[in-house]
Amino acid sequence: MPTNVLDIPTSAFVFENQEMISQMVREFSEKEMIPNRMKWDESQHFPIDLFKKMGDLGLMGVLVPQEYGGAGFGYHEYVTAIIELAKVDGSIGLSMAAHNSLCAGHILQHGNETQKAYYLPKLATAEWIGAWGLTEPNTGSDAGNMKTTAIKEGDEWIINGAKNFITHGNSGDIAVVIARTGEPNVSRNASTFIVERDNPGFRQGRKEDKLGMRASETAEMIFEDCRVSEENLIGEVGDGFIQSLKVLDGGRISIAALSCGIAEGALNAAVQYSKEREQFGKSISQFQGVSFKLAEMATKIEAAKQLTFNAAEQKNLGRNVTKESAMAKLYSSEIAVEVADGAVQVFGGYGYTKDYPAEKYYRDAKLCTIGEGTSEIQKIVISRALLA
């Protein structure tokens, strides 16, 4: 049986923790994920039961302190877990990352003690699945112009509007929601609220039919006179965007790790196939055109991982990681697409069929260049940091 990460001594060296987590996730993936990943992909099934098991292993609260029921680890261990999951199925890595870094992460970073003590244990054990709502149908990167509003009425806030492209938008038991509490396009015009699924006026919306990451649920959340208590306001009124930008810094490290995992999974599949596939009396791995391609793929993955773990290290040290996380996310996501494309090419015609895993890595990788800020947005973030 896999070792529970909660049993790993927190005083152990980070490298030892990473090795233990890698081994645990590999064993878990082989048993629970590999036999089912294509069924989940084809049916767009979000395997909630799998995430409950991941909660038992501590994977749904990697960054949550032990006092709140989490594993109490840092970003090195967190990145390692995402990479290992994404090597097998990017969808599962994506959902695990969104739950950890966005929903639980927002409450951990910005919630008060009462909020953390109540919600984090439920999230860390996957008793509750978490969602995080910022994006809207007509305001993706233009979040300052969001249409979802929250109006104060007595001791309650009334939320109206819709959020889309939300991971776990339908299945999440709890959502951290950013809503506009001021005028459009002015500073400090948004605030953050914790909304539980059974709140009146909070209902499910359209589920997206996606190219890839199909086992990670992406859906719309709709709010119609949804009343939440003043106690569910995270931080101060007007702090919503400031909080979100800090949360997204960590979220970009998550997507960078996800990208590295998908790329590494695609490379591993290509290497194995190149050794097995024979042409002209020898394996295709012996042809320079193939071996050089594999070498380039491996080198770029290593560079992506170095950027990602550097951002993780800076995050652990409590430093501003806006530039570092954007660099890691930009490079790793673009490399994931490139490597997945290269893997399909190594497989040849078989790479275009569902009989082999290359096509799934190819489909899954593309989201990494879009989610939590497109590659173009990352370049804006990086250039602003350089020119500040």
Side-chain angles (χ1 to χ4, degrees):
M1 292 292 293
T3 303
N4 188 319
V5 295
L6 298 178
D7 297 331
I8 300 172
T10 55
S11 60
F13 291 110
V14 169
F15 180 75
E16 183 179 348
N17 289 343
Q18 289 176 273
E19 287 295 303
M20 291 181 181
I21 290 171
S22 293
Q23 181 62 31
M24 182 195 72
V25 176
R26 282 195 292 267
E27 292 176 8
F28 178 78
S29 299
E30 185 174 345
K31 178 183 177 182
E32 303 287 349
M33 293 167 59
I34 291 176
N36 299 302
R37 59 183 172 182
M38 288 310 297
K39 290 186 293 184
W40 295 335
D41 181 81
E42 290 169 3
S43 63
Q44 294 204 80
H45 172 66
F46 176 53
I48 293 179
D49 290 346
L50 179 82
F51 290 95
K52 301 293 185 181
K53 294 176 182 178
M54 289 167 60
D56 292 338
L57 296 175
L59 291 170
M60 300 300 277
V62 180
L63 299 168
V64 175
Q66 292 183 346
E67 63 187 284
Y68 301 120
F73 285 132
Y75 266 78
H76 285 298
E77 293 89 349
Y78 175 56
V79 164
T80 298
I82 295 175
I83 288 175
E84 291 296 337
L85 288 170
K87 283 182 186 179
V88 177
D89 190 340
S91 301
I92 306 305
L94 173 63
S95 277
M96 178 270 206
H99 175 96
N100 273 275
S101 71
L102 298 181
C103 183
H106 199 131
I107 295 172
L108 177 62
Q109 291 181 60
H110 302 289
N112 60 39
E113 184 56 37
T114 300
Q115 292 166 342
K116 289 190 282 190
Y118 181 73
Y119 290 108
L120 290 180
K122 299 177 186 298
L123 291 166
T125 58
E127 176 185 347
W128 284 5
I129 301 296
W132 190 77
L134 176 64
T135 303
E136 297 187 357
N138 296 311
T139 56
S141 299
D142 184 19
N145 194 31
M146 67 169 58
K147 301 298 187 291
T148 299
T149 60
I151 298 175
K152 185 76 177 295
E153 186 176 284
D155 292 332
E156 293 182 316
W157 290 86
I158 304 174
I159 303 176
N160 281 285
K163 301 290 183 178
N164 75 332
F165 296 128
I166 307 303
T167 305
H168 316 145
N170 282 350
S171 297
D173 300 285
I174 173 182
V176 173
V177 179
I178 296 86
R180 183 163 56 79
T181 49
E183 295 300 316
N185 294 317
V186 299
S187 63
R188 302 182 68 85
N189 72 342
S191 305
T192 309
F193 303 89
I194 300 172
V195 186
E196 296 180 25
R197 177 58 64 181
D198 59 1
N199 268 60
F202 179 20
R203 65 180 177 87
Q204 298 178 351
R206 176 178 178 269
K207 180 180 177 180
E208 302 295 338
D209 186 3
K210 300 177 296 182
L211 170 71
M213 301 288 199
R214 290 166 60 84
S216 177
E217 179 187 87
T218 305
E220 185 181 33
M221 300 190 302
I222 299 174
F223 304 92
E224 295 175 337
D225 292 330
C226 178
R227 292 178 175 268
V228 297
S229 169
E230 172 75 11
E231 296 175 353
N232 285 38
L233 172 70
I234 298 180
E236 301 296 326
V237 174
D239 282 352
F241 285 138
I242 298 170
Q243 295 173 6
S244 297
L245 290 174
K246 293 178 180 177
V247 169
L248 284 171
D249 281 346
R252 286 166 180 153
I253 297 174
S254 301
I255 301 300
L258 183 69
S259 303
C260 290
I262 292 171
E264 197 163 346
L267 173 64
N268 292 343
V271 168
Q272 181 179 343
Y273 181 79
S274 73
K275 293 177 179 178
E276 297 170 352
R277 175 70 167 172
E278 291 190 357
Q279 292 284 274
F280 306 103
K282 57 183 179 181
S283 68
I284 63 172
S285 63
Q286 296 181 49
F287 292 102
Q288 191 177 82
V290 173
S291 63
F292 277 20
K293 180 182 288 291
L294 295 174
E296 290 173 359
M297 291 159 67
T299 302
K300 291 176 179 179
I301 291 172
E302 185 61 29
K305 290 172 74 172
Q306 292 295 328
L307 277 170
T308 302
F309 278 106
N310 175 63
E313 175 67 13
Q314 301 308 310
K315 183 71 172 174
N316 280 342
L317 293 172
R319 295 173 180 168
N320 185 311
V321 295
T322 300
K323 181 182 70 175
E324 288 79 7
S325 64
M327 284 179 168
K329 197 269 190 189
L330 170 63
Y331 185 78
S332 299
S333 63
E334 294 291 342
I335 289 307
V337 173
E338 182 180 331
V339 169
D341 178 79
V344 171
Q345 202 69 18
V346 169
F347 274 84
Y350 289 111
Y352 206 66
T353 72
K354 291 184 179 293
D355 295 329
Y356 291 88
E359 63 85 29
K360 185 177 185 302
Y361 289 117
Y362 187 65
R363 289 186 288 110
D364 288 348
K366 185 56 192 172
L367 180 65
C368 297
T369 68
I370 300 170
E372 296 197 34
T374 62
S375 292
E376 291 73 22
I377 290 295
Q378 304 313 311
K379 292 174 184 177
I380 291 174
V381 171
I382 295 165
S383 63
R384 283 178 176 171
L386 291 172
L387 299 170

